[in-house]
Amino acid sequence: MFENKDKTHIEQLGEFGLIEHLTKQIKIVQKSTVKGVGDDAAVLDFTNKQVLVSTDLLLENIHFDLRYVPLKHLGYKAVQVNLSDIYAMNGIASQITVSIGISSKFPIEAVEEIYQGILLACDNFQVDLVGGDTTSSLQGLVISITAIGHVDKNKVVYRSGAKSGDLICVSGDLGGAYVGLQLLEREKQIFLENPEIQPDLEGKDYILERQLKPEARKDIVVLLDSLEVKPTSMIDISDGLASELLHICKASEVGCRIYEDKIPIDPMTYHTAVDFSLDPTVCALSGGEDYEILFTINQKDYDKVKNDLDISVIGHIVDKNEGAAMISKSGIQHAITAQGWNHFNK
Amino acid sequence: MFENKDKTHIEQLGEFGLIEHLTKQIKIVQKSTVKGVGDDAAVLDFTNKQVLVSTDLLLENIHFDLRYVPLKHLGYKAVQVNLSDIYAMNGIASQITVSIGISSKFPIEAVEEIYQGILLACDNFQVDLVGGDTTSSLQGLVISITAIGHVDKNKVVYRSGAKSGDLICVSGDLGGAYVGLQLLEREKQIFLENPEIQPDLEGKDYILERQLKPEARKDIVVLLDSLEVKPTSMIDISDGLASELLHICKASEVGCRIYEDKIPIDPMTYHTAVDFSLDPTVCALSGGEDYEILFTINQKDYDKVKNDLDISVIGHIVDKNEGAAMISKSGIQHAITAQGWNHFNK
């Protein structure tokens, strides 16, 4: 991943030195941040707002592979994954805390690269880094992020509010992150077998970015607010459309019908999936890591969203006893399961 | 640590099953918890309060050794470590999030034991578990906890408020957790050399509890409030008295004088340290993990705290240019360094 020569090693700086070194770069932009890094706890002030808290733990070789994930991208993505959860409550993220466990044999520059990605994400999304913990790890790299946000009491959207007749909407397009991962995995295998061969990733920028540098959909929260649409339920797509749909159905005690031909899939995702002999619909349903927003709206709000190119209406909510199903392009109804749909495991 | 026979393995339940299984036991007690586990983020409401956030990452074989730390104790301690940071801001902890990374080969009962300890701590300290993440780990056990608390705007106490002339106070007694650790390490070595020999820990309950089951000092925050004392600065003692004193001196731009004979050390800590040929004062200054509260008060508040047996006045704050020093029992002045005092590294 990086050269160890002529680098500053973490053990030279010590824990306090490392924290001081890394936190020097932090800028505070949120009014709600009263005190960030540097005391026992961060102090935040959210007068009259509700506070949102979400946390994620990312472990090397479970959630990421340092053989093809650049450290800066890793830091950036780790933040996005967490911000996405705040936006999925219809809130705005305002602070994060970051804990990193890293081998003391790593050069300081490696931790700096991760932080560069983290701070870039903070900057792009106007989020303050207000605390954390840096510790040595005897095993792999560990990144734990907690995101904090706020929302007006009357605007918070749970998974549980979908009602029969509501329209099911999704932002952006799906499956790209998964297909991007297949591409990286293939090139890794080729590289492992013959390190002389340069990776062939040309022209695949979009799906590689979907995997390596996802962008949480803060813009969708802002857009819905400007359109004066309050969704009835909302969730971010981290595990794939199928799994998230089932979460909404379970929490809301409803069923759903979605239409295969309405699922937004980018042409590059589609064609690359086909090249890999993968069904693009399965990639969208079960691939995961797209970090798009899945939400339901009352039918009366349809006119407000129908012209937005970034929002696709893919189906509607039905009664619980009708179950969760997808109508395929050929008109056949398939039950949706947590693993995608019931053809997935055949 | 535990038998693998006839246990339910995590992989049988899957991630969602595991989360559902574990979160069934969670009870919500805090009015500020609007929505806990079960959505993209927890929703909290702290009308007119400032919000405190602190986070810690605990890694196997860096922060704990499963060969002598029972899993339930580990869960309990992991929570205490975090709550301690909230109390050290003069606030009250109200929520935590917990992320755990654990090998999928662990039996479900192992994760349950950790959660039992976590939930016992939540119960004892009236804290709600409102979110988290459970993931498999290819390496060791990983526990990341974020604690959230609240405090009236005019009651928050930073590290930075100490003034020349203020009195330096400490709760409880120091060094016990470190001496308890030495005892456990010795017995582990004996066990590794001869597994037939039973550990000899009899009569050492107090210092073993200081190491294995520390209690964060919420009671000190409550006590100071009832005494109508607002400290001028405050920090919890996680790395040892010396290191925390230097944090306060640096943040407050002051110096300090403490008196060796005033440092509270329990007789069992004292005698066990001597048995190990350790200087009890060094254990108190540099041992760490006591999770007591170090704070400074204005001299006018002395009468309010002087009769409390759980608070020791150990010195006073001086001007920055006088530096940080300890007056030994024999009347000699020693500079305090991050490693304790300057005799420590000789």
Side-chain angles (χ1 to χ4, degrees):
Chain A
M1 206 60 229
F2 32 72
E3 294 292 315
N4 260 346
K5 261 188 299 180
D6 304 325
K7 296 281 168 87
T8 317
H9 281 253
I10 291 168
E11 50 209 350
Q12 289 168 242
L13 274 175
E15 191 194 333
F16 293 131
L18 177 61
I19 291 172
E20 196 166 311
H21 178 82
L22 293 171
T23 54
K24 263 190 305 197
Q25 320 161 52
I26 298 175
K27 287 184 215 97
I28 298 294
V29 297
Q30 288 282 341
K31 261 200 312 188
S32 56
T33 306
V34 180
K35 168 80 182 175
V37 170
D39 216 298
D40 294 288
V43 181
L44 314 176
D45 196 325
F46 299 98
T47 317
N48 298 323
K49 300 265 186 185
Q50 287 190 325
V51 179
L52 304 169
V53 179
S54 179
T55 194
D56 262 304
L57 180 62
L58 301 178
L59 304 179
E60 186 175 342
N61 296 329
I62 295 279
H63 301 98
F64 55 88
D65 185 333
L66 289 180
R67 282 170 295 189
Y68 54 68
V69 179
L71 288 169
K72 190 174 171 184
H73 283 72
L74 179 62
Y76 192 87
K77 181 169 175 176
V79 176
Q80 299 306 319
V81 169
N82 276 274
L83 300 186
S84 183
D85 283 320
I86 302 296
Y87 302 136
M89 303 298 289
N90 205 30
I92 295 295
S94 43
Q95 286 88 10
I96 57 168
T97 65
V98 175
S99 294
I100 294 184
I102 191 167
S103 163
S104 61
K105 294 188 194 87
F106 266 51
I108 183 80
E109 285 77 6
V111 196
E112 279 182 330
E113 269 186 62
I114 299 173
Y115 263 87
Q116 274 170 21
I118 289 170
L119 292 174
L120 179 63
C122 285
D123 198 36
N124 287 355
F125 286 77
Q126 295 288 291
V127 165
D128 293 340
L129 175 55
V130 296
D133 196 12
T134 307
T135 180
S136 56
S137 166
L138 291 179
Q139 298 106 348
L141 181 60
V142 177
I143 303 180
S144 174
I145 296 190
T146 298
I148 298 145
H150 56 268
V151 58
D152 286 344
K153 205 178 280 196
N154 59 349
K155 285 194 177 157
V156 58
V157 178
Y158 295 99
R159 297 177 179 179
S160 56
K163 296 272 178 293
S164 185
D166 284 354
L167 301 175
I168 301 170
C169 307
V170 65
S171 66
D173 56 78
L174 302 177
Y178 180 74
V179 178
L181 180 64
Q182 303 316 306
L183 203 60
L184 288 165
E185 285 283 353
R186 183 187 70 188
E187 296 305 316
K188 181 181 87 178
Q189 285 310 322
I190 291 171
F191 177 81
L192 290 175
E193 282 157 28
N194 186 349
E196 299 299 309
I197 297 177
Q198 283 299 304
D200 175 23
L201 300 168
E202 197 165 310
K204 298 291 188 184
D205 296 10
Y206 180 69
I207 56 173
L208 292 173
E209 284 219 347
R210 295 293 288 172
Q211 170 57 226
L212 294 174
K213 192 167 173 290
E215 301 280 331
R217 299 308 304 259
K218 177 184 181 180
D219 58 331
I220 295 294
V221 175
V222 173
L223 173 71
L224 290 172
D225 191 49
S226 72
L227 294 174
E228 296 181 358
V229 174
K230 182 187 170 190
T232 54
S233 72
M234 218 169 175
I235 190 170
D236 75 320
I237 302 180
S238 52
D239 295 321
L241 178 61
S243 170
E244 315 306 352
L245 268 172
L246 291 178
H247 280 309
I248 283 187
C249 287
K250 190 178 175 191
S252 299
E253 298 184 55
V254 294
C256 70
R257 290 291 176 275
I258 61 165
Y259 297 86
E260 185 181 8
D261 61 352
K262 303 285 187 193
I263 299 173
I265 298 175
D266 184 84
M268 191 189 293
T269 303
Y270 191 94
H271 294 300
T272 314
V274 171
D275 286 349
F276 276 100
S277 304
L278 292 169
D279 181 335
T281 302
V282 174
C283 296
L285 284 169
S286 308
E289 293 202 279
D290 287 314
Y291 300 106
E292 294 295 342
I293 302 277
L294 173 68
F295 58 99
T296 56
I297 59 170
N298 191 297
Q299 285 188 26
K300 73 173 168 48
D301 288 329
Y302 175 65
D303 284 342
K304 297 181 190 166
V305 305
K306 70 177 181 191
N307 292 324
D308 195 283
L309 294 174
D310 214 17
I311 294 176
S312 304
V313 179
I314 61 168
H316 59 278
I317 297 293
V318 297
D319 283 340
K320 187 180 179 182
N321 57 29
E322 294 179 56
M326 182 182 80
I327 318 298
S328 75
K329 287 173 186 169
S330 51
I332 299 166
Q333 182 166 314
H334 303 273
I336 295 170
T337 69
Q339 274 71 43
W341 46 318
N342 58 7
H343 284 191
F344 190 64
N345 289 322
K346 273 190 181 168
Chain B
M1 205 61 229
F2 33 72
E3 296 291 317
N4 260 346
K5 261 188 298 178
D6 303 326
K7 295 282 169 87
T8 318
H9 280 252
I10 291 168
E11 49 208 353
Q12 291 168 240
L13 276 176
E15 191 194 333
F16 294 130
L18 177 62
I19 291 172
E20 195 166 312
H21 179 82
L22 295 170
T23 55
K24 265 189 305 196
Q25 319 160 53
I26 298 174
K27 287 183 214 96
I28 298 296
V29 297
Q30 288 282 341
K31 262 199 311 188
S32 55
T33 306
V34 180
K35 169 78 183 178
V37 170
D39 216 299
D40 294 288
V43 181
L44 314 176
D45 196 325
F46 300 98
T47 317
N48 298 321
K49 300 263 184 184
Q50 286 189 326
V51 178
L52 304 168
V53 179
S54 178
T55 195
D56 262 305
L57 180 63
L58 301 176
L59 303 179
E60 186 175 342
N61 296 328
I62 297 279
H63 301 98
F64 55 87
D65 185 332
L66 289 181
R67 281 170 296 189
Y68 54 70
V69 178
L71 289 170
K72 190 175 170 181
H73 284 71
L74 179 62
Y76 193 87
K77 181 170 175 175
V79 176
Q80 298 305 319
V81 169
N82 276 273
L83 300 186
S84 184
D85 283 320
I86 301 295
Y87 302 136
M89 303 298 288
N90 205 30
I92 295 296
S94 43
Q95 287 88 10
I96 57 167
T97 64
V98 175
S99 294
I100 294 183
I102 191 167
S103 163
S104 61
K105 294 188 193 84
F106 266 51
I108 183 80
E109 286 77 6
V111 196
E112 279 182 329
E113 271 187 60
I114 300 172
Y115 262 87
Q116 274 172 23
I118 288 170
L119 292 175
L120 178 63
C122 285
D123 199 35
N124 287 354
F125 286 76
Q126 295 289 289
V127 166
D128 293 340
L129 174 56
V130 296
D133 197 11
T134 306
T135 179
S136 56
S137 165
L138 291 179
Q139 298 107 348
L141 182 61
V142 177
I143 304 179
S144 173
I145 296 190
T146 298
I148 299 145
H150 55 269
V151 59
D152 286 345
K153 204 178 279 197
N154 59 350
K155 286 193 175 157
V156 58
V157 178
Y158 295 99
R159 298 177 178 178
S160 56
K163 296 271 178 294
S164 185
D166 285 354
L167 300 175
I168 300 170
C169 307
V170 66
S171 66
D173 56 78
L174 302 177
Y178 180 75
V179 177
L181 181 64
Q182 302 316 305
L183 205 59
L184 288 164
E185 286 282 353
R186 183 187 70 187
E187 296 304 317
K188 181 180 88 177
Q189 286 310 323
I190 293 171
F191 177 81
L192 289 176
E193 283 157 26
N194 186 348
E196 298 299 308
I197 297 176
Q198 283 299 306
D200 176 22
L201 300 168
E202 197 164 310
K204 299 291 188 186
D205 295 9
Y206 180 69
I207 55 174
L208 291 173
E209 283 219 349
R210 294 293 288 171
Q211 171 56 226
L212 292 175
K213 193 170 172 290
E215 301 281 330
R217 299 308 303 260
K218 178 184 180 180
D219 58 328
I220 295 294
V221 175
V222 174
L223 173 72
L224 290 172
D225 191 49
S226 71
L227 295 174
E228 296 181 358
V229 174
K230 182 186 169 187
T232 54
S233 71
M234 219 168 175
I235 190 170
D236 75 320
I237 303 181
S238 52
D239 294 322
L241 178 61
S243 169
E244 315 305 352
L245 268 172
L246 291 178
H247 280 308
I248 283 187
C249 287
K250 189 176 175 194
S252 298
E253 298 184 56
V254 294
C256 70
R257 291 292 174 275
I258 61 165
Y259 297 88
E260 185 180 11
D261 61 352
K262 303 284 187 194
I263 298 173
I265 297 175
D266 183 83
M268 190 189 294
T269 302
Y270 191 94
H271 295 300
T272 313
V274 171
D275 286 349
F276 276 100
S277 305
L278 292 169
D279 181 336
T281 301
V282 174
C283 295
L285 283 169
S286 307
E289 293 202 279
D290 288 314
Y291 300 107
E292 296 295 341
I293 302 277
L294 173 69
F295 58 98
T296 56
I297 59 171
N298 190 296
Q299 285 188 28
K300 74 172 167 50
D301 287 329
Y302 176 64
D303 285 342
K304 298 181 190 168
V305 305
K306 70 176 182 194
N307 293 322
D308 196 284
L309 294 173
D310 214 18
I311 294 176
S312 305
V313 179
I314 61 168
H316 59 278
I317 297 294
V318 297
D319 282 341
K320 187 180 179 182
N321 56 29
E322 296 180 55
M326 182 182 78
I327 317 299
S328 75
K329 287 171 185 171
S330 52
I332 299 165
Q333 182 166 314
H334 302 273
I336 295 170
T337 68
Q339 274 72 45
W341 46 318
N342 58 9
H343 284 192
F344 190 65
N345 289 324
K346 272 190 181 169

